[in-house]
Amino acid sequence: MRCLAPRPAGSYLPEPQGSGQCPTMELGPLEGSYLELLNSSADPLQLYHLYDRMDLTAEEEIDLCSEPDTDTINCEQFSRLLCDMEGDEETREAYANIAELDQYVFQDTQLEGLSKDIFIEHIGLEEMTSESVEVLEEAGQKTQKRPFPEELPVDLKHRKLAPPSSSLLSCLSLPSGPIQIIPTLSTLPQGLWPISGTGTGVSSILIYQSEMPPASQTPPASGPAVQSLPKSPDRPGSTSPFAPSAADLPSMPEPALTSRANLTEDEMSPTKCPAAGGASSKLPKWPESVERFYQLLRDKYQAQPAGPEGTLVEMDLVRVRLEKSSGKSQERELATLDWAERQPARGGLAEVLLAASDRQQPRETRVIAVLGKAGHGKSHWARAVSRAWAHGQLPQYDFVFWVPCHRLDRLGTSYRLQDLLSSLGPQPLPVNDEVLSYIARRPNRILLVLDGFEELEAHDGSLHSTGGPGSAEPRSLRGLLAGLLQRKLLRGCTLLLTAWPRGRLAQSLSKADALFEVAGFSAQQAETYVKHYFESEGTAEHQERALALLRAQPFLLSHSHSPTVCRAVCQLTEALLQRGDEAQLPSTLTGLFVGLLGPAARDGPPEALAGLARLAWELGRAHQRGLKAGCLPSAEARAWAVAQGWLRPTTGAPETELAFSSFLLQCFLGAVWLALSGEIKDKELPQYLALTPRKKRPYDNWLEGVPRFLVGLVFQPRASCLGALAGPAASTSVDRKQKVLTRYLKRLQPGTLQAGRLLELLHCAHEALDPGLWQHVLQGLPARLSFLGTRLTPPDTHVLGSALKAAGQDFSLDLRGTGVDPSGLGSLVGLSCVTHFRAALSDTVELWESLQQRGEAKLLRAVEEKFTIEPFKAKSMKDVEDLGNLVQIQRTRSSSEAAAGELPAVRDLKKLEFALGPVLGPQVFPKLVKILEAFTSLQHLDLDSLSENKIGDEGVAQLSATFPQLKALETLNLSQNNITDVGACKLAEALPALAASLLRLSLYNNCICDTGAESLAHVLPDMVSLRVLDVQYNKFTAAGAQQLAAGLRKCPQVKTLAMWTPTIPFGVQEHLQQLDPRIILR
């Protein structure tokens, strides 16, 4: 029997004792506030029950000894007493009432954090097994020093206490008085009882029943024994008993992943943990219902998906961020990062779950969002998270709940937390009150995955709704989501969302702690997918042939960055190779899906394809992907569509609920309905292409793939396209629709379209396979194409490159902010028709290095000649660093014998703007000054920013030293930079170096006084090329103004002197203007 007892008041004075005795301890009086005691160097065990001794007098003492007397109770007697009391039903009822009263008191006390958390949350399974007890130290050893601040946990209330040595507390002596066993916890782990005794001087004692440690582990009793401070198991060198294990912190799951890497799955189970310190103690277990629920949930997640869906290669995740939309709206959208700026989550699932842990407040919910386009594998990745937990790879979580969001809208009008957690599939797992109570007590051990968050667009006001912390009362779905997203419901859990990067709900994720994006497949990953697909189908001999067919169609290869398209390509390739004829993949997405659906559509039930297409369109208009039983024309049509793999049971739904196998397939079928239906008026058809903006009632392009498929179905040869799907019956109506779309598309002027719509037009023209339409689009392309801020995917890059090559004219491209991958950037800028291009500096440098490594010297020189950075505006520290890297490359080239000459981008830069603001401006400006001398052709240097750069006098002094190298500088703007007389004098001394070139000098809105004005007036006659000087809104007085006016009279070449400032009397200014009309006021 172990007894965890508080020490009585008195001085800490260990005494020698024999091997069979327990030490007698005394504690001195504790003074000061509770917070001061926590930060003091007192023995931590004194603080364990500090609040229990607040009402005790300092003279009361409790002796702990092993000598039997009338006041001593041994382990055997105590066990019999417990058995007698447990058999009395009325006594158990009384205990429950006392426990409720105790819980009520805990809620209102100021010491809630310490008392409740110590007894409820920190005496659990992991805490009982992970703490190690050190051997007692030698006699006379002093109390340990207080830990360094960095060793203390962030939240001082939630510090973990180590159990004392069993030899120290092997027996318990209490003054006379009845002993009461009070279960202060309604669900205390097995083996733990809190005890209070009247007249003992102690309000409560916690007793833990276990086997005694072996004799070999008992410390020698040759001298006085002192309880030592155990080291924290996960923090080397830390001796603080309050230092929590990293595995116990909800925001730090990584040690739990790494420290158990070599354990088996059973050893990592929450119910099977190795005992700490080698003690063979009986560990507390979960309640039976919780254990049963855990096993059922684990078995459910361990089922692996079958078929091609299970052959996906590992998905790449990239950290992203949201930024303000470029339009007038205040909405935020996903930022387009440069390729070199991407931060892949190379740590995989562990890195994602650890994301934003530095931003998390103690016991706060973490919200992590994984974004990605439809068909990029978000749902597959989310299910992989649950399977990883089921296989013991996430031991930091007791439960992982994967919730498909399309199920939530079908549960009813009112919801409870149980409804959310049990909506896991066709056979929901019941979440009873005991399981829910366990989850509510330990939310930091819960991972909740909401998959397909865009399905809840009707509840997009979740962040602004009212959501209370309670979990039992029913509420609307919006209220339930609000409670989770506002961190009120299940507070402290980890909330993982998957959603599309567009739409209203994606914009509301700006408050997420971390954002990731599913990047899609690279070319190498796509080829790996093809190999895995044919291996899983048992036709590995077709791998090389399938890869050859895919490489022969670069357009489909570029689209294979989407796992959905990659799977469709594999399915069509397999069908073509099985037929044995001359296999060849189509060159368009429309042809790909016609090839997949055509053979089955001809042999299917009558009107089955038309009914399925209509259903796809109607569901898309309602922003839905799932369909219920009875929606299809007949049971035969349903069985046919399921057999073909076009429909399949909805994940996490009953078998009667179906969904289209992919979002892209739903888009294709929706386009089939538009092409075949007579219900759609011909004049309404162009609006579905969404190529021209509409101020009133803009078209909702939720089915974003419909425009390209529609053009392809209408324009491609009838026999091989729509004829293969619906036969010759639809030829008349399709001809009319083709004429309508032709007139509409030929009225468009590509040069006036926004970059995104221009790309969509190029895709539509490519899908049409119509030479006349393609040529019309190419002829309208402007010579200067800017895609600034528009994301370019691999298919976009391929179509744009094909258009540029076929246009027969020269182009200048602006590819900044497009996120184009290195291979796509190289394919575009390597075209002979591209004479100039702009791209991210970091991406361009990476391209140069790649070409140099591959030995493509000719292409490298051509790309260097085409690259330009004119004009350049530095808006971030990264911009200045990238510019510095470019200058460093030039300096390296100049010092090399093999390469000579300047980089054209550096040599031809004429305008440079610096706008980093008042915080970063003074820090980064010295880096810019160091490279300024490399820009020998610089004519315009603008250091003015709307938010003020504030480079100050020091920055002006550094800049002045570069004037001798800036021989071509014509405009120097130093406005709003906090320049005083010191900086003005330094500037005046260096200005003669620019006398032959400088035309305009602006010192607007600085702090220049009379001394600085006088220095500038003296240098004016030497500035033979100066035409405009602006010194408005400074602090010089009439004396400084008169000095400037006198200097101006000596400079006939100066045309304008803007000099108005509030510190000059208006009469003086008017007088000076009358003397010289070149002086401008206001």
Side-chain angles (χ1 to χ4, degrees), residues 327-343:
K328 296 181 180 180
S329 65
Q330 298 298 318
E331 297 176 350
R332 297 169 66 86
E333 58 186 15
L334 200 63
T336 303
L337 304 178
D338 298 337
W339 190 264
E341 198 179 0
R342 293 156 49 99
Q343 301 177 23

PDB file of all heavy atoms in Angstrom, residues 327-343:
ATOM      1  N   GLY A 327      -9.040  42.206 -55.525  1.00  0.00           N
ATOM      2  CA  GLY A 327     -10.189  43.014 -55.917  1.00  0.00           C
ATOM      3  C   GLY A 327     -10.602  43.995 -54.834  1.00  0.00           C
ATOM      4  O   GLY A 327      -9.899  44.215 -53.832  1.00  0.00           O
ATOM      5  N   LYS A 328     -11.766  44.586 -55.038  1.00  0.00           N
ATOM      6  CA  LYS A 328     -12.257  45.577 -54.090  1.00  0.00           C
ATOM      7  C   LYS A 328     -12.816  44.934 -52.824  1.00  0.00           C
ATOM      8  O   LYS A 328     -12.943  45.602 -51.801  1.00  0.00           O
ATOM      9  CB  LYS A 328     -13.344  46.435 -54.763  1.00  0.00           C
ATOM     10  CG  LYS A 328     -12.841  47.254 -55.937  1.00  0.00           C
ATOM     11  CD  LYS A 328     -13.965  48.097 -56.530  1.00  0.00           C
ATOM     12  CE  LYS A 328     -13.463  48.916 -57.709  1.00  0.00           C
ATOM     13  NZ  LYS A 328     -14.542  49.746 -58.311  1.00  0.00           N
ATOM     14  N   SER A 329     -13.165  43.687 -52.886  1.00  0.00           N
ATOM     15  CA  SER A 329     -13.761  43.035 -51.728  1.00  0.00           C
ATOM     16  C   SER A 329     -12.717  42.828 -50.637  1.00  0.00           C
ATOM     17  O   SER A 329     -11.512  42.828 -50.895  1.00  0.00           O
ATOM     18  CB  SER A 329     -14.356  41.686 -52.128  1.00  0.00           C
ATOM     19  OG  SER A 329     -13.342  40.795 -52.555  1.00  0.00           O
ATOM     20  N   GLN A 330     -13.207  42.654 -49.409  1.00  0.00           N
ATOM     21  CA  GLN A 330     -12.336  42.429 -48.266  1.00  0.00           C
ATOM     22  C   GLN A 330     -12.084  40.943 -48.019  1.00  0.00           C
ATOM     23  O   GLN A 330     -11.517  40.584 -46.992  1.00  0.00           O
ATOM     24  CB  GLN A 330     -12.973  43.053 -47.018  1.00  0.00           C
ATOM     25  CG  GLN A 330     -13.154  44.549 -47.095  1.00  0.00           C
ATOM     26  CD  GLN A 330     -11.833  45.293 -47.239  1.00  0.00           C
ATOM     27  OE1 GLN A 330     -10.846  44.959 -46.585  1.00  0.00           O
ATOM     28  NE2 GLN A 330     -11.800  46.290 -48.105  1.00  0.00           N
ATOM     29  N   GLU A 331     -12.502  40.087 -48.955  1.00  0.00           N
ATOM     30  CA  GLU A 331     -12.324  38.659 -48.780  1.00  0.00           C
ATOM     31  C   GLU A 331     -10.851  38.290 -48.896  1.00  0.00           C
ATOM     32  O   GLU A 331     -10.072  38.953 -49.563  1.00  0.00           O
ATOM     33  CB  GLU A 331     -13.140  37.895 -49.823  1.00  0.00           C
ATOM     34  CG  GLU A 331     -14.645  38.116 -49.689  1.00  0.00           C
ATOM     35  CD  GLU A 331     -15.409  37.427 -50.800  1.00  0.00           C
ATOM     36  OE1 GLU A 331     -14.749  36.963 -51.754  1.00  0.00           O
ATOM     37  OE2 GLU A 331     -16.637  37.345 -50.716  1.00  0.00           O
ATOM     38  N   ARG A 332     -10.502  37.210 -48.218  1.00  0.00           N
ATOM     39  CA  ARG A 332      -9.133  36.715 -48.254  1.00  0.00           C
ATOM     40  C   ARG A 332      -9.095  35.451 -49.104  1.00  0.00           C
ATOM     41  O   ARG A 332     -10.022  34.644 -49.086  1.00  0.00           O
ATOM     42  CB  ARG A 332      -8.628  36.422 -46.844  1.00  0.00           C
ATOM     43  CG  ARG A 332      -8.563  37.669 -45.985  1.00  0.00           C
ATOM     44  CD  ARG A 332      -8.309  37.316 -44.532  1.00  0.00           C
ATOM     45  NE  ARG A 332      -6.997  36.726 -44.332  1.00  0.00           N
ATOM     46  CZ  ARG A 332      -5.886  37.416 -44.138  1.00  0.00           C
ATOM     47  NH1 ARG A 332      -5.942  38.738 -44.111  1.00  0.00           N
ATOM     48  NH2 ARG A 332      -4.728  36.831 -43.946  1.00  0.00           N
ATOM     49  N   GLU A 333      -8.006  35.292 -49.842  1.00  0.00           N
ATOM     50  CA  GLU A 333      -7.868  34.142 -50.717  1.00  0.00           C
ATOM     51  C   GLU A 333      -6.496  33.539 -50.524  1.00  0.00           C
ATOM     52  O   GLU A 333      -5.603  34.127 -49.903  1.00  0.00           O
ATOM     53  CB  GLU A 333      -8.063  34.549 -52.180  1.00  0.00           C
ATOM     54  CG  GLU A 333      -7.106  35.601 -52.657  1.00  0.00           C
ATOM     55  CD  GLU A 333      -7.414  36.077 -54.063  1.00  0.00           C
ATOM     56  OE1 GLU A 333      -8.520  35.796 -54.567  1.00  0.00           O
ATOM     57  OE2 GLU A 333      -6.535  36.732 -54.649  1.00  0.00           O
ATOM     58  N   LEU A 334      -6.334  32.345 -51.050  1.00  0.00           N
ATOM     59  CA  LEU A 334      -5.081  31.619 -50.878  1.00  0.00           C
ATOM     60  C   LEU A 334      -3.957  32.334 -51.620  1.00  0.00           C
ATOM     61  O   LEU A 334      -4.090  32.661 -52.799  1.00  0.00           O
ATOM     62  CB  LEU A 334      -5.236  30.199 -51.406  1.00  0.00           C
ATOM     63  CG  LEU A 334      -4.236  29.155 -50.900  1.00  0.00           C
ATOM     64  CD1 LEU A 334      -4.376  28.970 -49.408  1.00  0.00           C
ATOM     65  CD2 LEU A 334      -4.469  27.831 -51.608  1.00  0.00           C
ATOM     66  N   ALA A 335      -2.873  32.616 -50.912  1.00  0.00           N
ATOM     67  CA  ALA A 335      -1.739  33.312 -51.529  1.00  0.00           C
ATOM     68  C   ALA A 335      -1.018  32.375 -52.493  1.00  0.00           C
ATOM     69  O   ALA A 335      -0.897  31.170 -52.255  1.00  0.00           O
ATOM     70  CB  ALA A 335      -0.772  33.805 -50.458  1.00  0.00           C
ATOM     71  N   THR A 336      -0.551  32.946 -53.603  1.00  0.00           N
ATOM     72  CA  THR A 336       0.223  32.185 -54.582  1.00  0.00           C
ATOM     73  C   THR A 336       1.694  32.380 -54.270  1.00  0.00           C
ATOM     74  O   THR A 336       2.246  33.463 -54.459  1.00  0.00           O
ATOM     75  CB  THR A 336      -0.093  32.661 -56.011  1.00  0.00           C
ATOM     76  OG1 THR A 336      -1.495  32.531 -56.252  1.00  0.00           O
ATOM     77  CG2 THR A 336       0.666  31.830 -57.033  1.00  0.00           C
ATOM     78  N   LEU A 337       2.336  31.344 -53.784  1.00  0.00           N
ATOM     79  CA  LEU A 337       3.730  31.434 -53.371  1.00  0.00           C
ATOM     80  C   LEU A 337       4.648  31.140 -54.545  1.00  0.00           C
ATOM     81  O   LEU A 337       4.317  30.361 -55.442  1.00  0.00           O
ATOM     82  CB  LEU A 337       4.014  30.440 -52.244  1.00  0.00           C
ATOM     83  CG  LEU A 337       3.133  30.547 -50.987  1.00  0.00           C
ATOM     84  CD1 LEU A 337       3.524  29.470 -49.996  1.00  0.00           C
ATOM     85  CD2 LEU A 337       3.243  31.924 -50.362  1.00  0.00           C
ATOM     86  N   ASP A 338       5.810  31.806 -54.540  1.00  0.00           N
ATOM     87  CA  ASP A 338       6.839  31.444 -55.500  1.00  0.00           C
ATOM     88  C   ASP A 338       7.281  30.010 -55.239  1.00  0.00           C
ATOM     89  O   ASP A 338       7.178  29.502 -54.112  1.00  0.00           O
ATOM     90  CB  ASP A 338       8.037  32.393 -55.377  1.00  0.00           C
ATOM     91  CG  ASP A 338       7.649  33.832 -55.685  1.00  0.00           C
ATOM     92  OD1 ASP A 338       6.643  34.026 -56.393  1.00  0.00           O
ATOM     93  OD2 ASP A 338       8.341  34.751 -55.204  1.00  0.00           O
ATOM     94  N   TRP A 339       7.805  29.372 -56.284  1.00  0.00           N
ATOM     95  CA  TRP A 339       8.195  27.967 -56.126  1.00  0.00           C
ATOM     96  C   TRP A 339       9.282  27.811 -55.069  1.00  0.00           C
ATOM     97  O   TRP A 339       9.244  26.884 -54.261  1.00  0.00           O
ATOM     98  CB  TRP A 339       8.668  27.404 -57.462  1.00  0.00           C
ATOM     99  CG  TRP A 339       8.847  25.924 -57.432  1.00  0.00           C
ATOM    100  CD1 TRP A 339       9.989  25.230 -57.218  1.00  0.00           C
ATOM    101  CD2 TRP A 339       7.819  24.948 -57.595  1.00  0.00           C
ATOM    102  NE1 TRP A 339       9.750  23.882 -57.244  1.00  0.00           N
ATOM    103  CE2 TRP A 339       8.426  23.676 -57.479  1.00  0.00           C
ATOM    104  CE3 TRP A 339       6.451  25.026 -57.838  1.00  0.00           C
ATOM    105  CZ2 TRP A 339       7.697  22.504 -57.596  1.00  0.00           C
ATOM    106  CZ3 TRP A 339       5.740  23.843 -57.949  1.00  0.00           C
ATOM    107  CH2 TRP A 339       6.365  22.607 -57.828  1.00  0.00           C
ATOM    108  N   ALA A 340      10.238  28.735 -55.043  1.00  0.00           N
ATOM    109  CA  ALA A 340      11.304  28.657 -54.048  1.00  0.00           C
ATOM    110  C   ALA A 340      10.818  29.023 -52.653  1.00  0.00           C
ATOM    111  O   ALA A 340      11.509  28.748 -51.669  1.00  0.00           O
ATOM    112  CB  ALA A 340      12.457  29.579 -54.453  1.00  0.00           C
ATOM    113  N   GLU A 341       9.667  29.641 -52.561  1.00  0.00           N
ATOM    114  CA  GLU A 341       9.114  30.067 -51.275  1.00  0.00           C
ATOM    115  C   GLU A 341       8.284  28.975 -50.626  1.00  0.00           C
ATOM    116  O   GLU A 341       7.917  29.090 -49.450  1.00  0.00           O
ATOM    117  CB  GLU A 341       8.253  31.316 -51.493  1.00  0.00           C
ATOM    118  CG  GLU A 341       7.955  32.126 -50.262  1.00  0.00           C
ATOM    119  CD  GLU A 341       7.123  33.352 -50.576  1.00  0.00           C
ATOM    120  OE1 GLU A 341       6.787  33.553 -51.758  1.00  0.00           O
ATOM    121  OE2 GLU A 341       6.800  34.105 -49.645  1.00  0.00           O
ATOM    122  N   ARG A 342       7.985  27.922 -51.350  1.00  0.00           N
ATOM    123  CA  ARG A 342       7.165  26.836 -50.809  1.00  0.00           C
ATOM    124  C   ARG A 342       7.894  26.125 -49.676  1.00  0.00           C
ATOM    125  O   ARG A 342       9.107  25.943 -49.707  1.00  0.00           O
ATOM    126  CB  ARG A 342       6.832  25.835 -51.911  1.00  0.00           C
ATOM    127  CG  ARG A 342       5.933  26.380 -52.987  1.00  0.00           C
ATOM    128  CD  ARG A 342       6.082  25.627 -54.293  1.00  0.00           C
ATOM    129  NE  ARG A 342       6.006  24.206 -54.144  1.00  0.00           N
ATOM    130  CZ  ARG A 342       4.927  23.462 -54.372  1.00  0.00           C
ATOM    131  NH1 ARG A 342       3.827  24.038 -54.801  1.00  0.00           N
ATOM    132  NH2 ARG A 342       4.931  22.168 -54.223  1.00  0.00           N
ATOM    133  N   GLN A 343       7.116  25.732 -48.666  1.00  0.00           N
ATOM    134  CA  GLN A 343       7.662  25.009 -47.521  1.00  0.00           C
ATOM    135  C   GLN A 343       6.973  23.653 -47.421  1.00  0.00           C
ATOM    136  O   GLN A 343       5.939  23.521 -46.767  1.00  0.00           O
ATOM    137  CB  GLN A 343       7.449  25.796 -46.228  1.00  0.00           C
ATOM    138  CG  GLN A 343       8.081  27.167 -46.214  1.00  0.00           C
ATOM    139  CD  GLN A 343       7.779  27.914 -44.933  1.00  0.00           C
ATOM    140  OE1 GLN A 343       7.480  27.322 -43.900  1.00  0.00           O
ATOM    141  NE2 GLN A 343       7.861  29.223 -44.992  1.00  0.00           N
TER     142      GLN A 343
END
